[in-house]
Amino acid sequence: MRERFADHKNFSAAFERQIYLAVLDQEFSARGRIVTRKPRQFRVEVGNDILIVADGKSIWLYNRQNEQAIVSTYEGELKTPWEILIEYSDAYAPLAVEEVDLDGRSCYLLSLVPRVPKAQVSLLKIWVDRKKWYLRRLEEFKNNEDRTTYVLKDHRTNKKLGDDLFRLELPEGIDVIDRRIAEPANGG
């Protein structure tokens, strides 16, 4: 799947994220859209309130409801879509692979366990479309019994994307918290 994803100049999909918090015995869900473009640009829209945009250097997290934006360096506190959806093979070892049906599509179901002892995530399950190798579903089970699920659909690849998708223009009056590290003056 990683190789197939690497073949695409860009990728987009609609998603639903479901979070189950065991301590509260409650589930929260949100729908959105993810758009990625090589080498390091992405845009994630979650409902009407959250917008995350990466221009390749910085990642902007804009919360419309709070009228606040946080900007971090690309290698900052936020996980990129690649870290969430693709780059799991280094941190996890395969436990089982099986062929299953997911919403009428033939998929491979990979069950993975962390390579590092005492990891927060105890099990990762990934459903990959057998024909097109698209990620269809990902479930992350934590040791505290919390669970995060991503369901992806409406996959699109190599479509023409405008540069404006990967720029964030904030309305007037938005509180901006800048967490980027300032470059030293005169290179030193």
Side-chain angles (χ1 to χ4, degrees):
M1 189 176 79
R2 181 186 274 186
E3 290 171 10
R4 180 63 65 111
F5 191 77
D7 288 342
H8 302 305
K9 294 176 186 160
N10 59 60
F11 169 83
S12 69
F15 70 87
E16 181 176 3
R17 181 189 65 202
Q18 302 160 348
I19 299 173
Y20 171 74
L21 299 177
V23 70
L24 300 175
D25 193 26
Q26 289 187 336
E27 189 167 298
F28 303 91
S29 67
R31 294 178 187 268
R33 183 141 197 92
I34 180 172
V35 180
T36 66
R37 180 169 71 180
K38 288 184 178 178
R40 296 163 43 111
Q41 297 175 316
F42 65 87
R43 178 184 188 95
V44 179
E45 299 172 17
V46 183
N48 293 322
D49 292 331
I50 304 294
L51 175 61
I52 304 168
V53 177
D55 59 11
K57 296 177 186 168
S58 300
I59 298 177
W60 293 79
L61 170 60
Y62 173 39
N63 185 319
R64 290 181 180 103
Q65 187 175 7
N66 294 348
E67 297 183 344
Q68 185 178 70
I70 300 171
V71 59
S72 303
T73 58
Y74 193 86
E75 288 82 14
E77 302 165 14
L78 297 173
K79 283 186 175 182
T80 68
W82 295 275
E83 291 169 325
I84 294 171
L85 303 175
I86 303 296
E87 293 183 2
Y88 48 81
S89 61
D90 294 337
Y92 296 90
L95 179 65
V97 177
E98 56 187 295
E99 291 185 32
V100 298
D101 183 74
L102 179 68
D103 299 328
R105 298 189 83 88
S106 181
C107 292
Y108 294 112
L109 169 57
L110 291 80
S111 296
L112 306 164
V113 293
R115 293 184 189 273
V116 178
K118 299 183 182 179
Q120 287 185 351
V121 175
S122 60
L123 178 65
L124 195 62
K125 289 187 172 185
I126 300 168
W127 287 257
V128 179
D129 187 285
R130 278 189 62 204
K131 185 175 180 182
K132 295 192 175 186
W133 289 92
Y134 290 151
L135 178 66
R136 294 283 173 193
R137 182 181 181 114
L138 180 142
E139 286 186 347
E140 180 183 79
F141 297 85
K142 295 196 175 173
N143 292 327
N144 64 359
E145 299 183 18
D146 288 356
R147 179 183 68 245
T148 302
T149 303
Y150 292 92
V151 178
L152 285 84
K153 56 186 167 188
D154 191 24
H155 299 75
R156 297 178 185 175
T157 58
N158 297 327
K159 301 292 182 187
K160 185 170 173 105
L161 302 174
D163 291 338
D164 58 324
L165 273 176
F166 307 103
R167 283 193 297 263
L168 181 61
E169 297 201 17
L170 297 170
E172 289 289 323
I174 298 300
D175 182 28
V176 176
I177 299 168
D178 194 339
R179 294 190 172 170
R180 295 174 290 189
I181 298 171
E183 302 259 340
N186 298 328

